[in-house]
PDB file of all heavy atoms in Angstrom:
ATOM      1  N   LEU E  78      28.534 -27.063  11.539  1.00  0.00           N
ATOM      2  CA  LEU E  78      29.085 -27.336  12.866  1.00  0.00           C
ATOM      3  C   LEU E  78      28.955 -28.819  13.222  1.00  0.00           C
ATOM      4  O   LEU E  78      29.865 -29.423  13.796  1.00  0.00           O
ATOM      5  CB  LEU E  78      28.369 -26.474  13.914  1.00  0.00           C
ATOM      6  CG  LEU E  78      28.657 -24.970  13.845  1.00  0.00           C
ATOM      7  CD1 LEU E  78      27.773 -24.219  14.835  1.00  0.00           C
ATOM      8  CD2 LEU E  78      30.129 -24.689  14.134  1.00  0.00           C
ATOM      9  N   LYS E  79      27.810 -29.414  12.875  1.00  0.00           N
ATOM     10  CA  LYS E  79      27.618 -30.846  13.158  1.00  0.00           C
ATOM     11  C   LYS E  79      28.606 -31.685  12.345  1.00  0.00           C
ATOM     12  O   LYS E  79      29.182 -32.655  12.833  1.00  0.00           O
ATOM     13  CB  LYS E  79      26.185 -31.246  12.828  1.00  0.00           C
ATOM     14  CG  LYS E  79      25.879 -32.704  13.180  1.00  0.00           C
ATOM     15  CD  LYS E  79      24.429 -33.041  12.882  1.00  0.00           C
ATOM     16  CE  LYS E  79      24.121 -34.490  13.297  1.00  0.00           C
ATOM     17  NZ  LYS E  79      24.999 -35.462  12.636  1.00  0.00           N
ATOM     18  N   THR E  80      28.804 -31.294  11.071  1.00  0.00           N
ATOM     19  CA  THR E  80      29.749 -32.023  10.227  1.00  0.00           C
ATOM     20  C   THR E  80      31.158 -31.940  10.799  1.00  0.00           C
ATOM     21  O   THR E  80      31.889 -32.939  10.829  1.00  0.00           O
ATOM     22  CB  THR E  80      29.724 -31.444   8.797  1.00  0.00           C
ATOM     23  OG1 THR E  80      28.403 -31.563   8.271  1.00  0.00           O
ATOM     24  CG2 THR E  80      30.694 -32.199   7.901  1.00  0.00           C
ATOM     25  N   GLU E  81      31.537 -30.752  11.279  1.00  0.00           N
ATOM     26  CA  GLU E  81      32.868 -30.596  11.869  1.00  0.00           C
ATOM     27  C   GLU E  81      33.022 -31.457  13.118  1.00  0.00           C
ATOM     28  O   GLU E  81      34.054 -32.103  13.325  1.00  0.00           O
ATOM     29  CB  GLU E  81      33.111 -29.124  12.216  1.00  0.00           C
ATOM     30  CG  GLU E  81      34.510 -28.870  12.777  1.00  0.00           C
ATOM     31  CD  GLU E  81      34.719 -27.414  13.134  1.00  0.00           C
ATOM     32  OE1 GLU E  81      33.773 -26.625  12.998  1.00  0.00           O
ATOM     33  OE2 GLU E  81      35.840 -27.081  13.556  1.00  0.00           O
ATOM     34  N   ALA E  82      31.988 -31.488  13.953  1.00  0.00           N
ATOM     35  CA  ALA E  82      32.049 -32.324  15.164  1.00  0.00           C
ATOM     36  C   ALA E  82      32.183 -33.804  14.794  1.00  0.00           C
ATOM     37  O   ALA E  82      32.958 -34.547  15.412  1.00  0.00           O
ATOM     38  CB  ALA E  82      30.804 -32.085  16.015  1.00  0.00           C
ATOM     39  N   ASP E  83      31.429 -34.234  13.784  1.00  0.00           N
ATOM     40  CA  ASP E  83      31.516 -35.632  13.345  1.00  0.00           C
ATOM     41  C   ASP E  83      32.919 -35.947  12.831  1.00  0.00           C
ATOM     42  O   ASP E  83      33.456 -37.032  13.078  1.00  0.00           O
ATOM     43  CB  ASP E  83      30.475 -35.910  12.251  1.00  0.00           C
ATOM     44  CG  ASP E  83      29.042 -35.841  12.792  1.00  0.00           C
ATOM     45  OD1 ASP E  83      28.878 -35.930  14.030  1.00  0.00           O
ATOM     46  OD2 ASP E  83      28.106 -35.675  11.991  1.00  0.00           O
ATOM     47  N   MET E  84      33.505 -34.993  12.099  1.00  0.00           N
ATOM     48  CA  MET E  84      34.847 -35.213  11.569  1.00  0.00           C
ATOM     49  C   MET E  84      35.867 -35.332  12.700  1.00  0.00           C
ATOM     50  O   MET E  84      36.797 -36.142  12.621  1.00  0.00           O
ATOM     51  CB  MET E  84      35.223 -34.063  10.630  1.00  0.00           C
ATOM     52  CG  MET E  84      34.473 -34.065   9.301  1.00  0.00           C
ATOM     53  SD  MET E  84      34.806 -35.562   8.338  1.00  0.00           S
ATOM     54  CE  MET E  84      36.548 -35.351   8.020  1.00  0.00           C
ATOM     55  N   GLN E  85      35.711 -34.531  13.757  1.00  0.00           N
ATOM     56  CA  GLN E  85      36.632 -34.626  14.886  1.00  0.00           C
ATOM     57  C   GLN E  85      36.559 -36.005  15.529  1.00  0.00           C
ATOM     58  O   GLN E  85      37.586 -36.591  15.898  1.00  0.00           O
ATOM     59  CB  GLN E  85      36.298 -33.537  15.923  1.00  0.00           C
ATOM     60  CG  GLN E  85      36.605 -32.116  15.476  1.00  0.00           C
ATOM     61  CD  GLN E  85      38.091 -31.838  15.365  1.00  0.00           C
ATOM     62  OE1 GLN E  85      38.901 -32.583  15.908  1.00  0.00           O
ATOM     63  NE2 GLN E  85      38.453 -30.790  14.657  1.00  0.00           N
ATOM     64  N   VAL E  86      35.341 -36.522  15.685  1.00  0.00           N
ATOM     65  CA  VAL E  86      35.178 -37.856  16.265  1.00  0.00           C
ATOM     66  C   VAL E  86      35.844 -38.910  15.388  1.00  0.00           C
ATOM     67  O   VAL E  86      36.557 -39.800  15.867  1.00  0.00           O
ATOM     68  CB  VAL E  86      33.683 -38.179  16.457  1.00  0.00           C
ATOM     69  CG1 VAL E  86      33.497 -39.631  16.883  1.00  0.00           C
ATOM     70  CG2 VAL E  86      33.070 -37.250  17.503  1.00  0.00           C
ATOM     71  N   LYS E  87      35.636 -38.809  14.072  1.00  0.00           N
ATOM     72  CA  LYS E  87      36.227 -39.773  13.152  1.00  0.00           C
ATOM     73  C   LYS E  87      37.749 -39.686  13.167  1.00  0.00           C
ATOM     74  O   LYS E  87      38.444 -40.710  13.078  1.00  0.00           O
ATOM     75  CB  LYS E  87      35.691 -39.537  11.740  1.00  0.00           C
ATOM     76  CG  LYS E  87      34.216 -39.896  11.589  1.00  0.00           C
ATOM     77  CD  LYS E  87      33.723 -39.644  10.169  1.00  0.00           C
ATOM     78  CE  LYS E  87      32.243 -40.006  10.030  1.00  0.00           C
ATOM     79  NZ  LYS E  87      31.740 -39.738   8.666  1.00  0.00           N
ATOM     80  N   LEU E  88      38.293 -38.470  13.276  1.00  0.00           N
ATOM     81  CA  LEU E  88      39.740 -38.319  13.325  1.00  0.00           C
ATOM     82  C   LEU E  88      40.331 -38.976  14.573  1.00  0.00           C
ATOM     83  O   LEU E  88      41.388 -39.605  14.515  1.00  0.00           O
ATOM     84  CB  LEU E  88      40.108 -36.826  13.281  1.00  0.00           C
ATOM     85  CG  LEU E  88      39.969 -36.137  11.918  1.00  0.00           C
ATOM     86  CD1 LEU E  88      40.211 -34.636  12.048  1.00  0.00           C
ATOM     87  CD2 LEU E  88      40.952 -36.732  10.912  1.00  0.00           C
ATOM     88  N   ARG E  89      39.633 -38.810  15.702  1.00  0.00           N
ATOM     89  CA  ARG E  89      40.121 -39.462  16.918  1.00  0.00           C
ATOM     90  C   ARG E  89      40.078 -40.982  16.780  1.00  0.00           C
ATOM     91  O   ARG E  89      40.984 -41.686  17.231  1.00  0.00           O
ATOM     92  CB  ARG E  89      39.296 -39.005  18.121  1.00  0.00           C
ATOM     93  CG  ARG E  89      39.668 -37.604  18.617  1.00  0.00           C
ATOM     94  CD  ARG E  89      39.046 -37.317  19.974  1.00  0.00           C
ATOM     95  NE  ARG E  89      37.602 -37.125  19.877  1.00  0.00           N
ATOM     96  CZ  ARG E  89      37.017 -35.966  19.669  1.00  0.00           C
ATOM     97  NH1 ARG E  89      37.745 -34.869  19.539  1.00  0.00           N
ATOM     98  NH2 ARG E  89      35.701 -35.863  19.610  1.00  0.00           N
ATOM     99  N   GLU E  90      39.014 -41.485  16.167  1.00  0.00           N
ATOM    100  CA  GLU E  90      38.917 -42.929  15.962  1.00  0.00           C
ATOM    101  C   GLU E  90      40.035 -43.418  15.031  1.00  0.00           C
ATOM    102  O   GLU E  90      40.646 -44.464  15.277  1.00  0.00           O
ATOM    103  CB  GLU E  90      37.547 -43.277  15.379  1.00  0.00           C
ATOM    104  CG  GLU E  90      36.387 -43.044  16.353  1.00  0.00           C
ATOM    105  CD  GLU E  90      35.039 -43.295  15.707  1.00  0.00           C
ATOM    106  OE1 GLU E  90      35.017 -43.522  14.469  1.00  0.00           O
ATOM    107  OE2 GLU E  90      34.019 -43.275  16.416  1.00  0.00           O
ATOM    108  N   LEU E  91      40.301 -42.652  13.967  1.00  0.00           N
ATOM    109  CA  LEU E  91      41.366 -43.032  13.042  1.00  0.00           C
ATOM    110  C   LEU E  91      42.722 -43.001  13.742  1.00  0.00           C
ATOM    111  O   LEU E  91      43.575 -43.851  13.482  1.00  0.00           O
ATOM    112  CB  LEU E  91      41.368 -42.084  11.835  1.00  0.00           C
ATOM    113  CG  LEU E  91      40.239 -42.288  10.821  1.00  0.00           C
ATOM    114  CD1 LEU E  91      40.284 -41.199   9.753  1.00  0.00           C
ATOM    115  CD2 LEU E  91      40.344 -43.664  10.158  1.00  0.00           C
ATOM    116  N   SER E  92      42.932 -42.024  14.612  1.00  0.00           N
ATOM    117  CA  SER E  92      44.196 -41.936  15.341  1.00  0.00           C
ATOM    118  C   SER E  92      44.410 -43.185  16.197  1.00  0.00           C
ATOM    119  O   SER E  92      45.500 -43.758  16.222  1.00  0.00           O
ATOM    120  CB  SER E  92      44.207 -40.689  16.219  1.00  0.00           C
ATOM    121  OG  SER E  92      45.368 -40.657  17.014  1.00  0.00           O
ATOM    122  N   SER E  93      43.358 -43.636  16.872  1.00  0.00           N
ATOM    123  CA  SER E  93      43.462 -44.839  17.696  1.00  0.00           C
ATOM    124  C   SER E  93      43.731 -46.067  16.825  1.00  0.00           C
ATOM    125  O   SER E  93      44.550 -46.926  17.180  1.00  0.00           O
ATOM    126  CB  SER E  93      42.170 -45.020  18.500  1.00  0.00           C
ATOM    127  OG  SER E  93      42.207 -46.221  19.242  1.00  0.00           O
ATOM    128  N   GLN E  94      43.067 -46.138  15.675  1.00  0.00           N
ATOM    129  CA  GLN E  94      43.276 -47.273  14.788  1.00  0.00           C
ATOM    130  C   GLN E  94      44.701 -47.291  14.240  1.00  0.00           C
ATOM    131  O   GLN E  94      45.310 -48.354  14.086  1.00  0.00           O
ATOM    132  CB  GLN E  94      42.262 -47.225  13.643  1.00  0.00           C
ATOM    133  CG  GLN E  94      40.825 -47.468  14.084  1.00  0.00           C
ATOM    134  CD  GLN E  94      39.835 -47.272  12.962  1.00  0.00           C
ATOM    135  OE1 GLN E  94      40.220 -47.051  11.819  1.00  0.00           O
ATOM    136  NE2 GLN E  94      38.561 -47.349  13.275  1.00  0.00           N
ATOM    137  N   ILE E  95      45.240 -46.091  13.953  1.00  0.00           N
ATOM    138  CA  ILE E  95      46.612 -46.008  13.438  1.00  0.00           C
ATOM    139  C   ILE E  95      47.598 -46.533  14.485  1.00  0.00           C
ATOM    140  O   ILE E  95      48.540 -47.272  14.170  1.00  0.00           O
ATOM    141  CB  ILE E  95      46.946 -44.560  13.044  1.00  0.00           C
ATOM    142  CG1 ILE E  95      46.180 -44.182  11.759  1.00  0.00           C
ATOM    143  CG2 ILE E  95      48.449 -44.382  12.815  1.00  0.00           C
ATOM    144  CD1 ILE E  95      46.304 -42.723  11.387  1.00  0.00           C
ATOM    145  N   GLU E  96      47.382 -46.150  15.745  1.00  0.00           N
ATOM    146  CA  GLU E  96      48.263 -46.630  16.809  1.00  0.00           C
ATOM    147  C   GLU E  96      48.210 -48.151  16.913  1.00  0.00           C
ATOM    148  O   GLU E  96      49.241 -48.816  17.060  1.00  0.00           O
ATOM    149  CB  GLU E  96      47.863 -45.995  18.138  1.00  0.00           C
ATOM    150  CG  GLU E  96      48.145 -44.500  18.217  1.00  0.00           C
ATOM    151  CD  GLU E  96      47.776 -43.924  19.571  1.00  0.00           C
ATOM    152  OE1 GLU E  96      47.471 -44.718  20.479  1.00  0.00           O
ATOM    153  OE2 GLU E  96      47.801 -42.690  19.712  1.00  0.00           O
ATOM    154  N   GLN E  97      47.019 -48.711  16.838  1.00  0.00           N
ATOM    155  CA  GLN E  97      46.897 -50.166  16.928  1.00  0.00           C
ATOM    156  C   GLN E  97      47.569 -50.849  15.737  1.00  0.00           C
ATOM    157  O   GLN E  97      48.244 -51.871  15.885  1.00  0.00           O
ATOM    158  CB  GLN E  97      45.425 -50.555  16.997  1.00  0.00           C
ATOM    159  CG  GLN E  97      44.724 -50.080  18.269  1.00  0.00           C
ATOM    160  CD  GLN E  97      43.245 -50.388  18.253  1.00  0.00           C
ATOM    161  OE1 GLN E  97      42.738 -51.033  17.346  1.00  0.00           O
ATOM    162  NE2 GLN E  97      42.529 -49.911  19.269  1.00  0.00           N
ATOM    163  N   LEU E  98      47.383 -50.257  14.543  1.00  0.00           N
ATOM    164  CA  LEU E  98      48.003 -50.851  13.350  1.00  0.00           C
ATOM    165  C   LEU E  98      49.522 -50.765  13.424  1.00  0.00           C
ATOM    166  O   LEU E  98      50.220 -51.692  12.992  1.00  0.00           O
ATOM    167  CB  LEU E  98      47.493 -50.133  12.096  1.00  0.00           C
ATOM    168  CG  LEU E  98      46.040 -50.437  11.704  1.00  0.00           C
ATOM    169  CD1 LEU E  98      45.624 -49.556  10.533  1.00  0.00           C
ATOM    170  CD2 LEU E  98      45.874 -51.907  11.325  1.00  0.00           C
TER     171      LEU E  98
END
Side-chain angles (χ1 to χ4, degrees):
L78 291 174
K79 184 178 182 303
T80 301
E81 183 181 3
D83 293 342
M84 289 299 295
Q85 291 291 343
V86 172
K87 291 180 180 179
L88 285 174
R89 283 192 289 270
E90 292 175 353
L91 286 174
S92 175
S93 176
Q94 292 174 6
I95 288 173
E96 291 182 9
Q97 294 175 5
L98 288 174

